[in-house]
Amino acid sequence: SIEQLPADLSSQEDIKYPPWMEGTWFVKAELVNFTTPLGTRFLGGSSDAINEKSAEEAKSQIGKQVKYLLRYESNPKGGVREDRVFNSAQRLNGYAGRQVVKRVEYVPLDRGGKTL
């Protein structure tokens, strides 16, 4: 089973994946639907025009298959965890359809005195 992380953003814990997840996986993903029932204002762009353009782009991806690799590794604390650095680059490049990531670096964030 996969355990949900606590809602506390200061948590240092990784999601613990089952042992059979360890290794590198070839992923094929396909967007089958895209809706914005509350409008595009929640898409995160800096303006309505950017959000509308993002929605149009997402809709143009419906039915297209995206392929990329994901890697899961042994966690020294036990179990298996996601290789976030590798997987972040793989997902971004996969969905962009080309090499867009030069480098991924883990930088701890300071959240009110607690480093993530």
Side-chain angles (χ1 to χ4, degrees), residues 19-112:
W20 58 264
M21 289 284 296
E22 187 173 358
T24 302
W25 294 76
F26 177 72
V27 176
K28 289 192 285 186
E30 182 181 334
L31 181 63
V32 296
N33 193 14
F34 179 84
T35 62
T36 55
L38 298 176
T40 60
R41 68 183 183 270
F42 297 107
L43 293 181
S46 58
S47 71
D48 289 341
I50 290 173
N51 288 342
E52 289 296 330
K53 183 71 174 164
S54 293
E56 288 172 26
E57 175 60 25
K59 289 176 185 175
S60 77
Q61 298 302 310
I62 292 173
K64 293 183 182 176
Q65 199 170 78
V66 178
K67 299 175 185 177
Y68 51 91
L69 298 174
L70 291 180
R71 188 164 55 204
Y72 296 84
E73 59 193 7
S74 179
N75 186 343
K77 296 179 183 178
V80 171
R81 67 179 175 198
E82 178 180 4
D83 181 344
R84 292 182 184 157
V85 171
F86 178 84
N87 292 353
S88 294
Q90 288 291 307
R91 284 186 184 106
L92 288 168
N93 289 333
Y95 284 99
R98 60 189 173 87
Q99 183 77 28
V100 294
V101 177
K102 277 187 179 179
R103 172 182 99 179
V104 178
E105 182 179 340
Y106 175 76
V107 179
L109 299 175
D110 184 358
R111 302 266 185 174

